[in-house]
Amino acid sequence: MIKVSILYPHSASARFDFDYYTQRHMPRSIKLLSAHPGFRAVSVERGLGGTEPGSAPTYTAACFYTFETIESFIAAFMPHAAELQADIANYTDIAAQIQFNEILIAAPAAV
Amino acid sequence: MIKVSILYPHSASARFDFDYYTQRHMPRSIKLLSAHPGFRAVSVERGLGGTEPGSAPTYTAACFYTFETIESFIAAFMPHAAELQADIANYTDIAAQIQFNEILIAAPAAV
């Protein structure tokens, strides 16, 4: 099982429209990607802060897609890459950090 | 629902013992923290790479704890903080980036 993490680094001067992200962009992305049989789960999150009281989070927002394999994620994403990537400017000017991860331990067990 | 993210930034010169982390540190951490009623889920991951073929991941490893609230996580963690933090040096010399996140969308629904 793998997880794709899409992290938006915090910047005091950056723009991030959570309404658009959670009501338009991510519902559309989830609708498209979850149609693939390799889809397992998705989580969309807002960074609240670091461990020091009042500190800014390292990431303003994050999205995590769990898929059966990297190949299945790519197969799910690529047909919709142009549409989804073109929509990013509608909610943020932050360049996301994207990486692939292997899930080593999950409890409850990764679905 | 909140998620605590513990991210270990990648560094070519850093040390990270995945055997110790997945067989000793995290099982102990999960045993202790999951005993709290606010515990919901945990995921432990290894960074495989970025989107460019052959590129290094931003994070070597990551751990995510889902809890009902920040307060319940703190209540679960604090009694064991000294033991768990003292164990970190046994698997890595990387300083983790820790932050609190609010889960905005989860599918399947956050447990």
Side-chain angles (χ1 to χ4, degrees):
Chain A
M1 204 79 69
I2 65 95
K3 192 181 284 186
V4 183
S5 53
I6 304 164
L7 307 176
Y8 297 89
H10 172 77
S11 160
S13 61
R15 173 175 63 85
F16 200 95
D17 183 340
F18 274 97
D19 287 342
Y20 190 97
Y21 185 58
T22 60
Q23 295 169 23
R24 303 275 299 273
H25 181 81
M26 285 309 308
R28 175 70 176 158
S29 170
I30 293 169
K31 180 181 179 182
L32 294 171
L33 273 63
S34 66
H36 192 282
F39 170 84
R40 291 294 179 274
V42 63
S43 182
V44 179
E45 302 164 20
R46 176 203 289 263
L48 296 173
T51 52
E52 294 295 317
S55 62
T58 304
Y59 295 99
T60 293
C63 164
F64 302 91
Y65 269 110
T66 304
F67 268 74
E68 188 176 4
T69 61
I70 291 178
E71 292 69 24
S72 61
F73 172 80
I74 291 173
F77 176 70
M78 287 309 292
H80 310 292
E83 174 189 339
L84 293 174
Q85 289 173 338
D87 192 45
I88 294 173
N90 290 324
Y91 62 88
T92 192
D93 52 6
I94 300 173
Q97 294 177 352
I98 303 173
Q99 78 172 55
F100 294 105
N101 308 279
E102 176 188 4
I103 298 177
L104 303 175
I105 299 173
V111 287
Chain B
M1 204 78 68
I2 66 96
K3 193 182 282 186
V4 181
S5 52
I6 303 163
L7 307 176
Y8 297 89
H10 171 79
S11 160
S13 61
R15 172 175 64 84
F16 200 96
D17 182 340
F18 274 98
D19 287 340
Y20 191 95
Y21 185 57
T22 60
Q23 295 169 23
R24 302 277 297 275
H25 181 80
M26 284 310 307
R28 176 69 177 157
S29 171
I30 294 169
K31 179 180 179 184
L32 294 172
L33 273 61
S34 67
H36 192 282
F39 170 84
R40 291 294 179 274
V42 63
S43 181
V44 179
E45 302 164 20
R46 177 202 290 261
L48 297 173
T51 53
E52 295 295 317
S55 63
T58 305
Y59 294 99
T60 293
C63 164
F64 302 91
Y65 269 111
T66 303
F67 268 75
E68 188 176 3
T69 61
I70 291 178
E71 291 70 23
S72 61
F73 172 79
I74 291 173
F77 176 69
M78 288 309 292
H80 310 292
E83 175 189 338
L84 294 174
Q85 289 173 338
D87 192 43
I88 294 173
N90 290 323
Y91 63 87
T92 191
D93 53 5
I94 299 173
Q97 293 176 352
I98 304 172
Q99 78 171 54
F100 295 104
N101 309 277
E102 177 187 3
I103 299 178
L104 302 175
I105 300 174
V111 289

